[in-house]
Amino acid sequence: MTAAALRPAAPHPGDLPPGLRISDDGRDRRLLAIAIAVAVGLHVAVVLLPFEIAPPELPTDRVRDPIRVTKIDIPPPKLDEVETPAAPAVRRIPIPAHDPGAERPAPIEEPPPAAVATVPFDVPDLPLANAPPPPVPAGPVPEGTPGLDAPVRLDAPKPQYPRLAMIAGVGGQVVLRAVIDRDGAVRDVRLVSAPRPDLGFSEAAIDAVSRWSYRPGQLEGREVAVELTIVVSFSVVR
């Protein structure tokens, strides 16, 4: 792009008043001279002026002193100078003096306790774990006692059949009561009943039973004497 193209369009000579109409060449020269004068003036002003430019003066009423911080040591107050708060006032309540002649208040009667219904029940006798064993009975224990192991017959010789009863062909039963001792021997044999007529059945039965032997009876794991009923039967063999 040329300089002529960048040049601003000049007003038409016919638009200017007659006294101000100039040619294009004259107008260019005048503008160039003005630009050179302005440039020279600015150059001179920059060279001649000092580098430090003082700030403009401000009104004195708007200027403030800079803030200065000063350290001040304040000693702690002494104990005698510290004011302690006053203790609150204690309200004292007067206690009336005891009058022995004054009437005593009636005691407060409490209602009787409600009756509790009790239901009786049977408590079984349970053996204790470390309870001592019951004592051994001093006398013979009757047969049928709870917990008793009855004696067991070991040796029982047969009674001799009475001769008269055998000749007559008569038989019968003899009932005896005897005590089996702790060693298994038979003692205290007694007659309870015998057949009629007694042809020697009682004597034969007592003699035979007295020679019998038993394994002793036991109660609570210990041997005891036991009273037994013994029946001896006599029968004729045909």
Side-chain angles (χ1 to χ4, degrees):
M1 184 177 292
T2 60
L6 297 175
R7 184 181 302 169
H12 195 273
D15 297 336
L16 296 176
L20 297 177
R21 292 179 181 175
I22 57 177
S23 62
D24 294 336
D25 296 337
R27 184 171 54 83
D28 294 340
R29 287 194 295 269
R30 181 175 296 178
L31 292 175
L32 180 60
I34 292 173
I36 294 172
V38 171
V40 172
L42 291 175
H43 182 72
V44 172
V46 170
V47 172
L48 297 180
L49 287 177
F51 290 97
E52 296 181 1
I53 301 177
E57 296 182 0
L58 299 176
T60 56
D61 57 348
R62 296 183 181 180
V63 178
R64 297 181 180 178
D65 295 334
I67 299 174
R68 296 180 180 179
V69 179
T70 304
K71 181 179 179 181
I72 302 175
D73 296 332
I74 301 176
K78 298 181 181 180
L79 296 179
D80 53 354
E81 296 179 358
V82 177
E83 296 182 0
T84 56
V90 180
R91 182 181 179 185
R92 300 181 180 276
I93 301 175
I95 300 176
H98 177 67
D99 186 5
E103 296 182 358
R104 297 182 179 180
I108 300 175
E109 297 182 358
E110 297 182 358
V116 179
T118 58
V119 179
F121 60 93
D122 297 333
V123 179
D125 296 333
L126 300 177
L128 300 178
N130 298 325
V136 179
V141 178
E143 56 183 340
T145 301
L148 174 65
D149 293 335
V152 178
R153 188 171 58 187
L154 300 177
D155 186 16
K158 294 182 178 180
Q160 187 176 2
Y161 206 97
R163 184 177 180 78
L164 294 177
M166 186 180 297
I167 295 172
V170 177
Q173 290 182 341
V174 178
V175 180
L176 305 175
R177 292 286 292 179
V179 175
I180 312 302
D181 212 343
R182 282 184 244 181
D183 57 359
V186 180
R187 61 179 177 86
D188 300 337
V189 182
R190 302 184 306 274
L191 177 63
V192 177
S193 63
R196 292 183 181 182
D198 189 356
L199 301 177
F201 293 111
S202 301
E203 293 80 358
I206 293 174
D207 181 66
V209 170
S210 299
R211 292 182 286 113
W212 288 0
S213 62
Y214 285 81
R215 183 174 66 191
Q218 292 186 351
L219 180 64
E220 302 293 339
R222 290 177 296 175
E223 297 176 349
V224 293
V226 182
E227 185 176 7
L228 293 181
T229 300
I230 300 174
V231 178
V232 181
S233 299
F234 293 88
S235 59
V236 178
V237 179
R238 303 282 181 186

